[in-house]
Amino acid sequence: MEALSAAVVTGYTDAPPRSIAPPSATFDAVIATALLTAGDLDRGLRYVVEGLAAGPAPLDDPAWPELARRLAAHPFLAATRARTYGYAGGPDALDVALGIDASGQPPRRRDWLVENATICRALRRRTVRLAQEIDLAAARHPGAPVVGFGTGHARELPLSAAIRDGRASAWLLEPNRRACTAAATASRGLPALATTGTLLDVLSGAVRTSGCSLVYVPTLAEHLPGEPLFEVLGAMVPWLRSGGQLVLPFYTALPDTRLLRHLADWRPNVLPANEVLLAARELDGVEPRIEHDEAHGLAYLYLLRSAAGIRRGFVVV
């Protein structure tokens, strides 16, 4: 597969939404259906995305089932509903957001929803950010391995200069066997090994690795509630070398919540950053911090493994 370019991905991620006349103040399923039926795809999709972000879905409107039926065929919404890997919003949905087709080809034209909806912009931005984290880890700790857990198709690897140049290697642990096979295919020719590995493997200590410069978990916060989430993160901390970091992206705001719930059957967790930081301070041996990406409704929890030893958020001297 031709390597994706970070410039291509970020070119869509960071550009402001294209100018199309905004929807009316009240969402009307008849208007949305009429726009889509007339072939005015971009205007119709913007009407739906922004209308549902502004107010409740008109589920009692007799016109809603027809609108939902038409939108069910949209590639991104269909990918989230398909649950190819057993859960909504899986790797197939990310591929649509990146513009990659089923054969793994590089980006193609995106419609208004895929190009501009907050969730799609967030998915692209997260992918690029994780590739950048791999590059930074390779610069700080030359030769140290990187581990990714729950990486789906691992689209961040071709975006990493350190991976492409062989300055970093990655071990991908993927709970879903089919996704693991897809990740191995997507990373063919790169210094990466994809194997199956479950949450039970992590928690039981069956995953044996250490000295990692980076551990990244792209989607864990979407699915796990607070206490189990931090139990898993705590089990991953020993994988890090001194000065290594664990990176956990999570959603802090998602204007597309109604769109995802009613048309994509996807309910990703949205977490308050202050609560995430407080929980992270309960973990032993790490210094937690959070970086915000408000433009994409994201934040990133960083757990830095400390040489001195950190316990419950206080330096042990």
Side-chain angles (χ1 to χ4, degrees):
M1 184 188 98
E2 180 182 334
L4 292 177
S5 160
V8 169
V9 177
T10 53
Y12 283 92
T13 303
D14 298 327
R18 285 185 279 131
S19 178
I20 299 176
S24 59
T26 303
F27 185 89
D28 189 327
V30 173
I31 294 177
T33 303
L35 289 169
L36 296 173
T37 302
D40 197 346
L41 183 63
D42 279 354
R43 194 181 301 270
L45 290 173
R46 180 170 184 180
Y47 187 96
V48 170
V49 172
E50 294 189 348
L52 291 179
L59 302 180
D60 296 332
D61 188 330
W64 175 261
E66 174 61 17
L67 175 60
R69 185 188 69 79
R70 288 181 176 275
L71 290 171
H74 185 277
F76 180 75
L77 301 176
T80 62
R81 296 182 70 92
R83 298 177 179 266
T84 305
Y85 298 110
Y87 55 92
D92 289 345
L94 173 60
D95 280 359
V96 175
L98 290 171
I100 300 172
D101 64 23
S103 65
Q105 293 303 305
R108 57 182 183 240
R109 182 196 179 273
R110 307 179 179 103
D111 60 40
W112 197 93
L113 188 157
V114 175
E115 187 175 335
N116 295 288
T118 302
I119 182 62
C120 293
R121 292 163 61 86
L123 289 170
R124 289 194 295 274
R125 181 58 206 157
R126 184 182 72 190
T127 303
V128 173
R129 176 77 174 250
L130 291 175
Q132 293 169 339
E133 294 295 344
I134 294 172
D135 291 346
L136 289 171
R140 295 186 185 116
H141 306 281
V146 168
V147 171
F149 181 85
T151 58
H153 295 167
R155 300 301 186 192
E156 65 280 352
L157 293 189
L159 294 176
S160 164
I163 292 290
R164 293 196 309 271
D165 298 345
R167 290 179 287 112
S169 60
W171 180 22
L172 307 176
L173 287 165
E174 172 54 52
N176 186 284
R177 190 174 299 278
R178 290 178 61 192
C180 181
T181 300
T185 300
S187 58
R188 186 175 294 142
L190 298 173
L193 173 66
T195 63
T196 54
T198 66
L199 290 174
L200 181 60
D201 292 331
V202 174
L203 293 171
S204 68
V207 178
R208 299 193 178 278
T209 187
S210 61
C212 298
S213 61
L214 176 71
V215 174
Y216 68 98
V217 279
T219 62
L220 197 62
E222 293 177 18
H223 306 292
L224 283 185
E227 188 173 338
L229 172 64
F230 284 93
E231 185 178 0
V232 173
L233 297 182
M236 292 177 172
V237 167
W239 301 355
L240 295 167
R241 64 184 296 160
S242 176
Q245 290 192 117
L246 186 152
V247 181
L248 174 81
F250 61 97
Y251 297 116
T252 56
L254 206 52
D256 301 326
T257 297
R258 295 186 191 91
L259 174 79
L260 297 177
R261 180 188 306 130
H262 298 306
L263 296 173
D265 193 26
W266 185 18
R267 296 167 175 80
N269 292 332
V270 176
L271 306 175
N274 61 329
E275 293 182 11
V276 171
L277 185 59
L278 284 173
R281 285 174 175 161
E282 295 296 315
L283 296 174
D284 291 343
V286 292
E287 300 177 47
R289 65 183 174 87
I290 285 180
E291 291 190 8
H292 294 269
D293 181 358
E294 294 180 358
H296 299 95
L298 287 166
Y300 298 83
L301 172 67
Y302 290 86
L303 301 177
L304 174 69
R305 189 163 193 192
S306 169
I310 304 291
R311 185 172 181 81
R312 300 191 183 280
F314 296 93
V315 178
V316 177
V317 295

